[in-house]
Amino acid sequence: MSAVEANFDGLVGPTHNYSGLSFGNVASAKSQATPSSPKQAALQGLAKMKALSDMGMVQGVFAPQERPDIATLRRLGFTGSDQSVLAAAAKQAPKVLAACCSASSMWTANAATVSPSADTQDGKVHFTPANLTNKFHRSIEHEVTGRVLKATFADERHFVHHPALPSVEHFGDEGAANHTRFCLDYDLQGVELFVFGRYAFDSRFPEPKKFPARHTFEACEAVARLHQLDTDKVVIAQQNPAVIDQGVFHNDVIAVGNRNILFCHEQAFLNQQAVYDELNLKLSGKMRILEVPTKSVSIEDAVSSYLFNSQLITMPNGDNVLILPEECRNNPRVWTYLEHLLANKQGIDEIKVFDLKQSMANGGGPACLRLRVALNQAELAAVNPHTLMSSALYSQLHQWIERHYRDQLAEADLVDPSLLVESRTALDELTQLLQLGSVYPFQR
Ligand SMILES: N=C(N)NCCC[C@H](NC(=O)CCC(=O)O)C(=O)O
């Protein structure tokens, strides 16, 4: 075993709720104001992590953010005790309070962009936390994300951590949700595909009209530069603006790739064939494209089922498996397509279905919940071992969730000062379990 692809899943935080914060994300708008279950959400996510670990995959755990984010509320002018800050925010700016309570860091595909050492000039793994500027509730994640990344990948001989790009829309960066690495083997130099929604400094190109394009071309170029990638091994492609307007707010809602396979919808990119051709050229003619036609799966079906938000993983025995949300099984057209895909042996050997309803109701499927980090054996040995899934960690986290998480949460509960205390108590314990040190503002 020379190199592996590890998946670091975001542990769902104790304030998981539905506040309708993500304009352009259909599920988030639809679930607004419905009660959530933080406990179920965290257990569903943990079950997926355990299952992948049991399948022989390297699985990591990524700690959530401190929420409610009192420090940000103070920056916005709320003063006094923590309790007064919460009460004043609930009264004067309930939406701002909701944004400062979001558990959105669970979707670690948006935590950062990661380039494996085989692709970078200095032979180290590079990390850039995503600034997530397009949504306020997500723009307040990157600082703590950077600290959790450093606490997980601490060894400077192997890992390089960049700060997030400047926090303005011109450099809007949504991280790995818009980044896919193709390769023939994880330890060989690969081709990195960066996908953007619009140009910030060039108005000649089309843009979505209804929903925002969160990620810019200029952000893609900047991350590729920071990560010292070879331009001959980088492809920067524009997402089809028409599908952004139909709810495809990240590329990982319409395409997924692993090794030399790209599984995507026929309407994913603006210049679809040119994207395929460039990828194939840069991967020495070895790309395999599995394109799904609109007549089999419409954009609406793709958005509601999250077919393409599956994880495409290669098992230790070489089989390619799609990790799908249950919503795919509930959609007859998507399910028929999947049966046909398996029967025709087009490169996918198996599918596995998971119940991730709590996350799905906010627009986060299996692939949103994980950050991929390809690591060689020396790098894997240098990862904080306490963040790696095992039977022992699974039962510790299971008990930890049972002990600290509420069964139900509604928007009105966010002002409850005991939620803040519960959340901090849980996170303080978690940083000890995962041996992360003092990553949260309340610990510093
Ligand atoms: N596709 C990927 N990789 N990630 C999904 C992120 C979902 C997230 N939803 C939210 O943030 C909803 C929060 C709320 O409405 O309460 C978002 O839109 O950024």
Side-chain angles (χ1 to χ4, degrees):
M1 196 166 58
S2 45
V4 294
E5 182 186 82
N7 286 283
F8 278 79
D9 278 43
L11 197 54
V12 179
T15 60
H16 160 63
N17 74 95
Y18 302 117
S19 288
L21 299 171
S22 280
F23 178 61
N25 168 345
V26 182
S28 152
K30 214 164 124 187
S31 304
Q32 173 163 16
T34 58
S36 60
S37 173
K39 186 176 280 182
Q40 268 183 36
L43 290 175
Q44 287 169 358
L46 185 65
K48 172 166 89 76
M49 296 188 225
K50 178 66 163 52
L52 263 77
S53 163
D54 288 347
M55 285 161 73
M57 305 296 293
V58 178
Q59 178 67 56
V61 181
F62 204 84
Q65 302 266 322
E66 174 192 339
R67 296 289 179 269
D69 185 349
I70 298 290
T72 295
L73 288 169
R74 288 189 189 282
R75 273 181 69 196
L76 297 174
F78 298 103
T79 54
S81 65
D82 290 349
Q83 193 160 345
S84 320
V85 165
L86 286 171
K91 196 156 162 237
Q92 294 171 35
K95 272 289 159 205
V96 175
L97 173 64
C100 290
C101 291
S102 177
S104 52
S105 67
M106 71 176 86
W107 300 297
T108 49
N110 305 115
T113 304
V114 185
S115 294
S117 56
D119 298 355
T120 63
Q121 216 169 51
D122 62 3
K124 296 185 182 185
V125 185
H126 285 241
F127 298 85
T128 300
N131 60 23
L132 303 171
T133 51
N134 189 257
K135 300 281 177 267
F136 169 63
H137 70 291
R138 305 222 57 186
S139 70
I140 54 180
E141 292 176 22
H142 66 83
E143 209 174 308
V144 169
T145 298
R147 283 190 215 137
V148 177
L149 283 169
K150 283 182 187 158
T152 309
F153 305 97
D155 191 332
E156 289 174 8
R157 283 171 306 172
H158 296 293
F159 306 120
V160 180
H161 296 273
H162 303 279
L165 298 181
S167 287
V168 285
E169 286 279 304
H170 296 77
F171 291 100
D173 175 13
E174 299 283 317
N178 290 328
H179 174 256
T180 311
R181 176 183 188 248
F182 298 97
C183 61
L184 296 177
D185 228 318
Y186 295 122
D187 58 348
L188 300 177
Q189 185 178 21
V191 174
E192 297 197 19
L193 169 66
F194 292 78
V195 181
F196 64 96
R198 69 181 180 96
Y199 289 83
F201 291 97
D202 195 333
S203 55
R204 288 171 304 165
F205 299 93
E207 286 184 19
K209 295 187 171 63
K210 186 173 161 203
F211 291 146
R214 299 190 191 187
H215 200 125
T216 66
F217 168 77
E218 290 77 3
C220 298
E221 277 197 317
V223 173
R225 261 191 308 268
L226 285 166
H227 291 196
Q228 305 178 3
L229 302 178
D230 178 348
T231 47
D232 289 344
K233 297 286 179 186
V234 169
V235 176
I236 302 183
Q238 185 165 0
Q239 219 188 325
N240 178 356
V243 301
I244 297 181
D245 278 340
Q246 292 168 75
V248 183
F249 57 98
H250 288 136
N251 179 60
D252 70 3
V253 176
I254 197 142
V256 61
N258 177 38
R259 294 170 70 100
N260 64 337
I261 298 181
L262 170 63
F263 175 56
C264 67
H265 194 275
E266 71 173 343
Q267 294 186 57
F269 306 105
L270 187 61
N271 297 309
Q272 195 100 1
Q273 191 55 48
V275 177
Y276 296 162
D277 291 345
E278 192 178 347
L279 283 172
N280 198 35
L281 181 77
K282 293 186 169 172
L283 199 72
S284 325
K286 298 272 172 46
M287 275 300 296
R288 293 184 65 180
I289 310 285
L290 296 179
E291 186 187 82
V292 181
T294 310
K295 64 175 173 19
S296 304
V297 176
S298 67
I299 298 297
E300 200 185 337
D301 284 335
V303 171
S304 61
S305 71
Y306 263 35
L307 168 64
F308 299 98
N309 202 261
S310 47
Q311 283 176 256
L312 176 53
I313 58 170
T314 304
M315 301 259 287
N317 69 2
D319 281 359
N320 290 319
V321 182
L322 271 183
I323 304 295
L324 298 156
E326 218 171 65
E327 285 71 4
C328 287
R329 188 158 50 197
N330 299 338
N331 180 315
R333 292 167 298 280
V334 168
W335 197 247
T336 304
Y337 174 80
L338 283 166
E339 284 174 336
H340 155 91
L341 183 71
L342 283 177
N344 287 4
K345 302 213 180 315
Q346 295 174 355
I348 309 294
D349 303 295
E350 207 186 323
I351 58 177
K352 284 194 186 290
V353 177
F354 286 84
D355 174 6
L356 296 165
K357 274 194 228 49
Q358 286 287 324
S359 167
M360 283 289 287
N362 247 340
C368 299
L369 287 161
R370 62 93 173 95
L371 180 68
R372 297 191 278 188
V373 189
L375 299 162
N376 65 32
Q377 289 303 308
E379 291 154 359
L380 179 58
V383 173
N384 173 348
H386 307 282
T387 63
L388 295 176
M389 186 50 71
S390 62
S391 298
L393 182 59
Y394 171 76
S395 39
Q396 282 172 327
L397 289 174
H398 199 283
Q399 286 165 24
W400 173 82
I401 293 165
E402 291 286 357
R403 226 179 14 253
H404 296 289
Y405 280 54
R406 295 193 182 187
D407 285 313
Q408 263 218 357
L409 200 66
E411 218 177 312
D413 301 325
L414 301 176
V415 63
D416 179 359
S418 38
L419 181 68
L420 176 68
V421 175
E422 286 162 32
S423 175
R424 286 182 175 172
T425 307
L427 295 181
D428 208 33
E429 222 178 89
L430 183 71
T431 49
Q432 291 167 41
L433 269 179
L434 304 180
Q435 298 200 16
L436 297 176
S438 302
V439 289
Y440 297 119
F442 78 91
Q443 296 174 315
R444 294 158 83 94

